Amino acid sequence: MNGHRIYAMSVASVYVHYVAKVERKGRTKEELDQVIRWLTGYDQAALEAELANKTTFEEFFAKAPALNDNRALITGKICGVRIEEIEEPLMREIRYMDKLVDELAQGRKMEKILRA
């Protein structure tokens, strides 16, 4: 999919799929929100507001209060591409979030997901 089309999508439109994915695997929406808050620095109220406002991925990451410095520790492949090789900054942020959701759905321990 074209990166610019992803950037213009609302986070909320993908979030529902994230929730379904993690819940299918026995994880919770609350754990998903914790992972997203860790990555972005949003608090729960601000995260919910961004979802309600149908904020685009581009706006979501541009307005993120505090992108976690440890997100650079997120490595591996997502959609067949090594995250650490993604040059476009916004696409890398989106793929960091995708990778964290995958790890949550795969049953990885929260301490590992949050690079603690």
Side-chain angles (χ1 to χ4, degrees):
M1 181 179 271
N2 182 310
H4 297 289
R5 289 175 60 199
I6 293 171
Y7 304 162
M9 290 176 68
S10 75
V11 176
S13 69
V14 176
Y15 178 82
V16 296
H17 299 288
Y18 287 161
V19 171
K21 180 177 189 169
V22 302
E23 286 182 344
R24 244 189 343 265
K25 300 293 187 168
R27 302 304 286 262
T28 66
K29 176 187 168 299
E30 289 73 22
E31 289 174 307
L32 172 63
D33 289 354
Q34 180 183 357
V35 166
I36 295 172
R37 291 192 319 263
W38 174 88
L39 179 64
T40 61
Y42 285 106
D43 63 23
Q44 189 63 34
L47 173 59
E48 289 173 8
E50 296 302 329
L51 294 170
N53 291 335
K54 306 222 182 303
T55 302
T56 65
F57 276 100
E58 188 168 24
E59 296 165 328
F60 184 76
F61 284 104
K63 295 179 355 183
L67 292 171
N68 194 306
D69 289 338
N70 284 342
R71 73 192 188 286
L73 300 174
I74 302 168
T75 59
K77 285 188 174 185
I78 190 81
C79 299
V81 177
R82 293 204 69 73
I83 293 173
E84 53 274 28
E85 294 174 2
I86 298 172
E87 293 184 18
E88 206 291 307
L90 179 56
M91 181 57 73
R92 191 172 41 246
E93 300 301 340
I94 293 168
R95 295 308 184 195
Y96 283 151
M97 189 155 63
D98 289 342
K99 182 70 172 172
L100 294 175
V101 172
D102 281 356
E103 290 177 358
L104 184 64
Q106 291 166 356
R108 197 164 191 206
K109 292 184 181 188
M110 193 61 82
E111 308 83 59
K112 298 261 188 203
I113 297 169
L114 302 182
R115 302 332 194 241

